[in-house]
Amino acid sequence: MLQVDISDALSERDKVKFTVHTKSTLPNFKQNEFSVVRQHEEFIWLHDSFVENEEYAGYIIPPAPPRPDFDASREKLQKLGEGEGSMTKEEFTKMKQELEAEYLAIFKKTVAMHEVFLCRVAAHPVLRKDLNFHVFLEYNQDLSVRGKNKKEKLEDFFKNVVKSADGVLVAGVKDVDDFFEHEKTFLLEYHNRVKDASAKSDRMIRSHKNAADDINRIASSLYTLGTQDSTDLCKFFLKVSELFEKTRKIEARIAADEDLKLADLLKYYLRESQAAKDLLYRRSRALVDYENANKALDKARAKNRDVLQAETSQQLCCHKFEKISESAKQELIDFKTRRVAAFRKNLVELAELELKHAKGNLQLLQGCLGILKGNT
Amino acid sequence: MADTARDAPPEQTDFHELEDGEELFPEPATTQESQPASLAAEDISTNSNGPKQDSLFDDDPEDLFAEATEEVSLDSPERDVLLSDGPSPAITPITPPTSVITPRIGHTHDDMFTHSSFDEIEEEEGGDSFDIHISVSDPEKVGEYMTSMSLFKRNEFAVKRRFSDFLGLHSKLASKYLHIGYIVPPAPEKSIVGMTKVKVGKEDQSSNEFVEKRRSALERYLMRTVKHPILLKDPDVLQFLESSELPRAVSTQALSSAGLLRMVNKAADAVNKMTIKMNESDAWFEEKQQHFENLDVQLRKLHTSVESLVCHRKELSVNTAQFAKSAAMLGNSEDHTALSRALSQLAEVEEKIDQLHQDQANADFYLFSELLGDYVRLLTAVKGVFDHRMKTWQKWQDSQMLLQKKREAEAKLQFTNKPDKLQQAKDEIKELEGKVQQGERDFEQISKTIRKEVSRFEKERVKDFKTIIIKYLESLVQTQQQLIKYWEAFLPEAKAIS
C-alpha cells in the first residue's frame, strides 16, 4: 500500500512549500508514515528523471504539474494597494477580500495539481517502485535540485526542437499495427482539439468573472444610492443592492466551479495527451531504430562482416521495441479508461453545480421580487 | 425586448371612445396587414412605411433612392421583428409593416430623401408605437379621457417622423418651457458615427442594434414628454403627434451653424452660472440642488458599471459560443462513443446558453442601462431649471439695482432745473418699477413651478425605477429558469457515460 497526499502547503514570497505526506506498508521505507517538505522544482526534477529513464520509455509519464503562478494575483493586490486612496473604505475592504479569495483559490489549485501528479505516480505499478520517487518521498533534507541554468535550458530547447522535427519524420512511418496506427491519428487530433477547447473555456470563464465583478460594483452603487435617497426608493435600492451582492457571489462561484471542473479537466488532458503522444513517439523511434538495425544486419550478413555485432544490436532494438509496444498498448488503454472516468465525473459534477447555483440564484431573485412587488 | 421597452399596459386599449362619430380604425387584432385599406381610405397621411417600400424604390432610378432603400430596408426587418414581438394586439402599431404602397408614399419620400443627407430619416416606429400609448394614456387620466382626447382628432393614429423632427420638437419645448421652470425631457443624442454606418448601408449586427437603440430611445422620450401634463397640451406636441407633415426642423443638424451657436451659448451660460452668487432665502432649493447633485454623481457611476456589465455579458455570449463549437469538435474526435455523445450534448447546451447570455445582455441594456442613461440626461434638464431660476433672480436683482440708480439720479435731478429730464427720469423709474415687480413675480412663479416640477419628477422617478428594475429582475429570473432547464436536460447525458 502506498498512499501519498499533500497535507499542507505554505506560500512564501516567491515560492510554495508543499508538505508531502506518505503512508506506506512497503518495506522500502524506514517508517510507515512520514512527511517531507518539497518545492515545485523538486517535482520537476522527479518528472524529468522519469522522462530520461530509458526503462520507462514504454509508459505514459504523468505530466508535470504547472509552476505555481501567483504573479497576476499579486499584481492585482498591489494595484489595489496603490489605489486605496481612490475608493471608500467599504469598497477597499470588499475588493481586498475578493482578491484574497482569488489568491486562495489559485493556491488550492496548485496544491491539487501537485498532488495529482504524485498520486498518479503512486498508482502506477512500475513507477511507484522508482528509487528517485522514494527518495523524493522520504529524504527529509533539501534535494538540492537547483533549477536548470541558462545553458541547460538552452539544451532543453534544442532537444525539443530536434524531437519535434524527428517526431514529424517518425510520424510519417506507417505503423503495421492497426491499434497504434489508430491511436496515433486519434491522439494527434484529440490533443489539438483539447488545446483549443481549453483555451476557449478559459476565455469564457474569464468573461464570467468580469461580469460578476461588474455586478459587485453595481451592488455597491445601489447601496450608496439607497443610503442617499430620501424617497421611497431608498429601501428599494438597498434591497436590490443586497440581492446583487448575493447573486454576484454565486456568479463568482459559478466561474470558479467551471474553472475547476471544466477548464482544469481540459488542461490536464492536454498535458496527458501530450505525454501519450510522447510515448507513441518513443515507440516509433524504437521502431525506426529496429528497422534500421534490421537493414544493418542484412548488410552485415551480405558483406559477412561484423555480423555478430549487428545481430546483438538488432536483438537489442527488437527487444526494446517489443517491450515498449507491449506496455504502451496497456498504457493507452488505461489512458482511455482514465480519461472517460475523469470526464464523466467532472461533467456530472459540473452539471450538478450549475444546477445548484442556478437554483440558488433563482431563489434569491424570486424572494427579492416578492418583497419588492409586495411593497410597491 | 421591444415589449419590455414599452410601458403601457395592454388593457387600456379597450378604450374605444369615438370622437365626433369619427371612424375608429378597425382593431388590428391579429395581423398587421388588415390596416392598409382603411388607412388609405382615411384622409390622413398615415403613411405606412415598411419593408415593402424597397419594391417601390426599384421603380425609381434616382441614385438617392439607392441609399434610402438601404436605410428603409434596414428599418423594416427590425420592425418586423419588433412588431411580431408584440405582446398583445393592442400594442401592435397600427401602421402595418407590410402594407399598401400608395403612390403618395413615393412622393413623400421624394421630399425626405432629396434633402440634406445629414438629417436622419427614420423613426416612424418611434412615432407609431408611441401613439398607441397616447390612446391608452396613463391611468391618472381616466377621468380626463374626454377632455384630453378632445385634443386629438382621432384615437389611434400613426405618423411618420424623422429623427430631426424629434430634435426639433425638443428644441421648441425647451425654448418655451425651460426658462420658466419646467423640466423638459431631453431628446436622444445624435450619433454621427452610428448614423453614418446605417447610411452607408451596413446591414450588420451593430447597425441593426443602433437602429433599435434609437427607436427605443425615441419612444421613451416621447412617453416622458406626454406624461408631463403641461407639455401634453402644448400645440407643438399635438402637432407633432397628429400632423401628417411637419415643417422641417432646420436648426438641429449636428454640425450646423445653429448647432455651433447653441454650443457657444451653453458655454457662456456655464461661465455665467459660476459668477452668479444667489442669496438663497429658501433652504428647500439649496437642499434639492444638493440632492440632485449627489444623485447625478451616483447615477453616472452606476450607469458606467451597468454599461460594463452589458459589455462583459456580450463578451461572455461570444466566448460561450466559441467554446461550444470547440467542445463539439472535441466530441467529434473523442473515440469513446458515450463520452463523445456527452461532449456533443455539452456543446449544444453551451450554444443555447450563449443565446441566453445575449438576450440577458439586451435586457441589461434596454432596461437597466438605458433607464440610467435617461435619468442622467434628465438630471441635466433639472439642473438647467434650477439655473434658470438663478438667472431669473439675477434679472430681478439687476432691475432693482438699476431702479435704485435711477432713483438716485432722479433725486439729484430734483435740484437742477431741467424739468424735461426730470420727467424722463420719472418715466424711466415708472417703467423700471414695473420691471422690478415683474421680475419679482417671475422669480416667484419659477420658484413655485420648480417646486411642483420637482415633486412630479421625483414621483415619476420613483415609479420609473421601481417598474423597470422589477422588470429587469424578472428578466434575470427567466434566464435562471432557462439555465435550470438546460442543465437538467444535460445531467442524465453526463451520467450516461460509462
Side-chain angles (χ1 to χ4, degrees), chain A residues 196 207 214 339 344 373, chain B residues 308 312 319 474 495 497:
Chain A
D196 188 58
S207 294
D214 288 325
R339 181 174 81 244
R344 182 187 191 283
K373 280 183 174 167
Chain B
S308 178
H312 285 139
N319 288 338
E474 283 172 349
K495 288 190 171 156
I497 305 170

Side-chain angles (χ1 to χ4, degrees), chain A residues 9-48:
Chain A
L10 188 63
S11 168
E12 289 182 357
R13 237 192 74 78
D14 55 353
K15 50 185 166 217
V16 181
K17 296 205 167 124
F18 303 97
T19 305
V20 179
H21 166 250
T22 316
K23 259 204 210 146
S24 175
T25 52
L26 292 179
N28 323 50
F29 300 110
K30 296 196 196 79
Q31 299 162 295
N32 284 349
E33 194 171 342
F34 47 89
S35 292
V36 295
V37 175
R38 290 284 172 250
Q39 289 183 39
H40 175 72
E41 287 75 24
E42 292 164 310
F43 284 77
I44 300 302
W45 164 80
L46 182 60
H47 170 263
D48 289 349

